[in-house]
Protein backbone atom coordinates (compact mmCIF):
# COMPACT_ATOMS: atom_id res chain seq x y z
CA UNK A 1 0.00 0.00 0.00
CA UNK A 2 2.75 2.43 0.98
CA UNK A 3 4.70 1.62 -2.19
CA UNK A 4 1.60 2.35 -4.30
CA UNK A 5 1.13 5.74 -2.62
CA UNK A 6 4.82 6.47 -3.08
CA UNK A 7 4.71 5.58 -6.79
CA UNK A 8 1.63 7.78 -7.37
CA UNK A 9 3.26 10.72 -5.60
CA UNK A 10 6.51 10.17 -7.52
CA UNK A 11 4.62 10.13 -10.84
CA UNK A 12 2.77 13.37 -10.05
CA UNK A 13 5.95 14.95 -8.73
CA UNK A 14 7.82 13.94 -11.86
CA UNK A 15 5.40 15.97 -13.98
CA UNK A 16 4.83 18.96 -11.70
CA UNK A 17 8.41 19.52 -10.64
CA UNK A 18 9.98 19.65 -14.04
CA UNK A 19 12.27 22.69 -14.06
CA UNK A 20 9.88 24.64 -16.24
CA UNK A 21 6.30 23.46 -15.65
CA UNK A 22 5.12 25.20 -12.46
CA UNK A 23 7.06 28.47 -12.97
CA UNK A 24 5.90 28.66 -16.59
CA UNK A 25 2.29 28.05 -15.56
CA UNK A 26 2.46 30.74 -12.85
CA UNK A 27 4.15 33.31 -15.10
CA UNK A 28 1.79 32.72 -18.04
CA UNK A 29 -1.30 32.95 -15.82
CA UNK A 30 0.15 36.09 -14.17
CA UNK A 31 0.73 37.72 -17.56
CA UNK A 32 -2.76 36.75 -18.72
CA UNK A 33 -4.46 38.16 -15.62
CA UNK A 34 -2.25 41.28 -15.69
CA UNK A 35 -3.38 42.17 -19.21
CA UNK A 36 -6.95 41.03 -18.59
CA UNK A 37 -7.23 43.30 -15.50
CA UNK A 38 -5.38 46.17 -17.21
CA UNK A 39 -2.33 46.09 -14.90
CA UNK A 40 -4.44 46.36 -11.76
CA UNK A 41 -1.54 45.60 -9.40
CA UNK A 42 0.29 48.70 -10.69
CA UNK A 43 -2.70 50.91 -11.48
CA UNK A 44 -4.33 50.60 -8.04
CA UNK A 45 -1.18 50.26 -5.90
CA UNK A 46 -1.68 53.70 -4.30
CA UNK A 47 -5.30 52.86 -3.46
CA UNK A 48 -4.22 49.55 -1.94
CA UNK A 49 -1.75 51.36 0.35
CA UNK A 50 -4.46 53.86 1.33
CA UNK A 51 -6.98 51.11 2.17
CA UNK A 52 -4.45 49.30 4.35
CA UNK A 53 -4.07 52.39 6.54
CA UNK A 54 -7.82 52.88 7.12
CA UNK A 55 -9.13 52.57 10.66
CA UNK A 56 -11.84 49.97 11.40
CA UNK A 57 -15.44 51.16 11.18
CA UNK A 58 -16.57 49.81 14.55
CA UNK A 59 -14.81 49.03 17.83
CA UNK A 60 -14.85 45.23 17.61
CA UNK A 61 -14.05 44.85 13.90
CA UNK A 62 -10.65 44.05 12.45
CA UNK A 63 -8.68 46.72 10.60
CA UNK A 64 -7.52 46.35 7.00
CA UNK A 65 -3.93 46.21 8.23
CA UNK A 66 -4.86 43.46 10.71
CA UNK A 67 -6.53 41.47 7.95
CA UNK A 68 -3.41 41.87 5.79
CA UNK A 69 -1.18 40.65 8.62
CA UNK A 70 -3.40 37.62 9.27
CA UNK A 71 -3.39 36.79 5.57
CA UNK A 72 0.38 37.20 5.37
CA UNK A 73 0.92 35.06 8.48
CA UNK A 74 -1.12 32.25 6.95
CA UNK A 75 0.84 32.36 3.67
CA UNK A 76 4.45 32.84 4.77
CA UNK A 77 6.10 29.76 6.21
CA UNK A 78 9.43 28.00 6.43
CA UNK A 79 9.26 27.26 2.70
CA UNK A 80 9.24 30.97 1.92
CA UNK A 81 12.16 31.70 4.24
CA UNK A 82 14.31 28.73 3.26
CA UNK A 83 13.24 28.89 -0.41
CA UNK A 84 14.25 32.54 -0.77
CA UNK A 85 17.59 32.05 0.97
CA UNK A 86 18.31 28.98 -1.15
CA UNK A 87 17.40 30.86 -4.35
CA UNK A 88 19.76 33.70 -3.42
CA UNK A 89 22.57 31.27 -2.53
CA UNK A 90 22.19 29.29 -5.75
CA UNK A 91 21.06 32.03 -8.16
CA UNK A 92 22.78 35.13 -6.81
CA UNK A 93 21.36 38.63 -7.18
CA UNK A 94 19.50 37.70 -10.37
CA UNK A 95 17.22 35.47 -8.30
CA UNK A 96 15.97 38.54 -6.40
CA UNK A 97 15.06 40.28 -9.65
CA UNK A 98 13.07 37.29 -10.90
CA UNK A 99 11.33 36.95 -7.53
CA UNK A 100 10.23 40.60 -7.87
CA UNK A 101 8.97 40.02 -11.43
CA UNK A 102 7.09 36.92 -10.36
CA UNK A 103 5.61 38.73 -7.35
CA UNK A 104 4.48 41.60 -9.57
CA UNK A 105 2.77 39.21 -11.98
CA UNK A 106 1.41 37.17 -9.07
CA UNK A 107 -0.34 40.30 -7.80
CA UNK A 108 -2.91 40.02 -10.59
CA UNK A 109 -3.41 36.32 -9.87
CA UNK A 110 -3.90 37.08 -6.16
CA UNK A 111 -6.42 39.79 -7.06
CA UNK A 112 -8.45 37.35 -9.17
CA UNK A 113 -8.37 34.73 -6.41
CA UNK A 114 -9.50 37.24 -3.76
CA UNK A 115 -12.23 38.62 -6.02
CA UNK A 116 -13.63 35.15 -6.68
CA UNK A 117 -13.58 34.43 -2.94
CA UNK A 118 -15.58 37.62 -2.27
CA UNK A 119 -18.09 37.02 -5.06
CA UNK A 120 -18.86 33.43 -4.05
CA UNK A 121 -18.63 33.66 -0.24
CA UNK A 122 -21.65 32.55 1.75
CA UNK A 123 -23.23 33.96 4.91
CA UNK A 124 -24.04 31.56 7.75
CA UNK A 125 -27.25 31.94 9.82
CA UNK A 126 -25.22 33.37 12.72
CA UNK A 127 -23.94 36.19 10.47
CA UNK A 128 -20.41 34.87 9.90
CA UNK A 129 -19.04 34.31 6.40
CA UNK A 130 -17.44 31.26 4.86
CA UNK A 131 -16.17 30.37 1.41
CA UNK A 132 -13.00 29.85 -0.60
CA UNK A 133 -11.75 27.98 -3.65
CA UNK A 134 -13.86 24.88 -3.04
CA UNK A 135 -17.01 27.02 -3.01
CA UNK A 136 -16.26 28.88 -6.21
CA UNK A 137 -15.28 25.64 -7.90
CA UNK A 138 -18.71 24.36 -6.97
CA UNK A 139 -20.75 27.51 -7.67
CA UNK A 140 -18.88 29.20 -10.55
CA UNK A 141 -17.64 26.16 -12.43
CA UNK A 142 -20.47 23.82 -11.43
CA UNK A 143 -17.87 21.17 -10.52
CA UNK A 144 -18.65 20.03 -6.99
CA UNK A 145 -16.36 17.03 -7.37
CA UNK A 146 -13.41 19.35 -8.08
CA UNK A 147 -14.15 21.32 -4.90
CA UNK A 148 -14.28 18.07 -2.91
CA UNK A 149 -10.92 16.91 -4.31
CA UNK A 150 -9.43 20.35 -3.58
CA UNK A 151 -10.76 20.26 0.00
CA UNK A 152 -9.40 16.77 0.69
CA UNK A 153 -5.99 17.67 -0.74
CA UNK A 154 -5.81 20.90 1.27
CA UNK A 155 -6.68 19.03 4.47
CA UNK A 156 -3.94 16.49 3.78
CA UNK A 157 -1.42 19.19 2.90
CA UNK A 158 -2.12 21.20 6.05
CA UNK A 159 -2.30 18.13 8.30
CA UNK A 160 0.71 16.28 6.94
CA UNK A 161 2.61 18.07 4.20
CA UNK A 162 3.39 21.40 5.80
CA UNK A 163 4.33 19.82 9.13
CA UNK A 164 6.65 17.33 7.44
CA UNK A 165 8.20 20.10 5.31
CA UNK A 166 8.79 22.30 8.36
CA UNK A 167 10.30 19.38 10.29
CA UNK A 168 12.55 18.46 7.36
CA UNK A 169 13.70 22.07 6.88
CA UNK A 170 14.51 22.47 10.57
CA UNK A 171 16.31 19.13 10.70
CA UNK A 172 18.40 19.84 7.60
CA UNK A 173 19.26 23.33 8.85
CA UNK A 174 20.37 22.06 12.26
CA UNK A 175 22.37 19.18 10.76
CA UNK A 176 24.15 21.65 8.44
CA UNK A 177 24.89 23.98 11.35
CA UNK A 178 26.13 21.08 13.50
CA UNK A 179 28.34 19.79 10.67
CA UNK A 180 29.83 23.21 9.94
CA UNK A 181 30.35 23.82 13.68
CA UNK A 182 32.12 20.47 14.00
CA UNK A 183 34.38 21.28 11.02
CA UNK A 184 35.25 24.73 12.37
CA UNK A 185 36.03 23.26 15.82
CA UNK A 186 38.35 20.66 14.28
CA UNK A 187 40.16 23.28 12.18
CA UNK A 188 40.43 25.59 15.22
CA UNK A 189 42.07 22.87 17.35
CA UNK A 190 44.39 21.87 14.49
CA UNK A 191 45.55 25.48 14.11
CA UNK A 192 46.10 25.74 17.85
CA UNK A 193 48.23 22.60 17.96
CA UNK A 194 50.36 23.62 15.00
Amino acid sequence: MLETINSVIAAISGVLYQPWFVPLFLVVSGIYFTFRCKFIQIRLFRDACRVIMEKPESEGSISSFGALMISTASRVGTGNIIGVSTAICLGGPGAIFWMWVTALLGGATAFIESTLAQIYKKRAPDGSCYGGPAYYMRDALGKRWLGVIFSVLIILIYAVGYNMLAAYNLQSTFSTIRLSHRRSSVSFWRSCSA
Side-chain angles (χ1 to χ4, degrees), residues 15-188:
V15 173
L16 289 180
Y17 290 106
Q18 293 292 322
W20 52 269
F21 183 75
V22 172
L24 181 67
F25 178 73
L26 293 174
V27 168
V28 167
S29 61
I31 291 170
Y32 173 76
F33 290 133
T34 296
F35 281 100
R36 205 46 208 210
C37 296
K38 299 179 179 134
F39 293 85
I40 193 161
Q41 68 272 41
I42 298 167
R43 191 168 37 92
L44 295 180
F45 183 74
R46 184 177 295 168
D47 292 332
C49 292
R50 181 186 50 77
V51 167
I52 289 172
M53 299 305 165
E54 288 179 353
K55 301 290 183 203
E57 293 178 8
S58 61
E59 185 66 31
S61 63
I62 189 167
S63 67
S64 297
F65 183 74
L68 174 67
M69 291 301 104
I70 291 170
S71 172
T72 303
S74 68
R75 292 171 189 250
V76 176
T78 57
N80 295 91
I81 297 165
I82 292 174
V84 169
S85 61
T86 303
I88 293 170
C89 288
L90 295 177
I96 297 172
F97 170 77
W98 288 111
M99 282 187 263
W100 286 346
V101 169
T102 307
L104 184 67
L105 294 173
T109 308
F111 173 77
I112 294 295
E113 180 184 356
S114 299
T115 302
L116 286 171
Q118 291 301 315
I119 290 171
Y120 292 101
K121 74 179 177 183
K122 304 292 181 197
R123 189 168 297 276
D126 65 355
S128 62
C129 294
Y130 62 94
Y135 288 94
Y136 55 78
M137 286 176 192
R138 181 191 70 187
D139 298 338
L141 298 176
K143 309 271 189 212
R144 184 179 183 278
W145 62 270
L146 191 59
V148 169
I149 291 172
F150 176 83
S151 299
V152 169
L153 289 176
I154 277 295
I155 290 169
L156 291 174
I157 287 169
Y158 274 105
V160 180
Y162 285 153
N163 296 330
M164 289 174 64
L165 178 65
Y168 172 76
N169 287 335
L170 286 171
Q171 175 273 330
S172 63
T173 301
F174 283 128
S175 72
T176 303
I177 290 171
R178 188 175 65 231
L179 182 63
S180 65
H181 176 69
R182 193 177 294 154
R183 286 179 184 162
S184 63
S185 297
V186 168
S187 62
F188 171 76

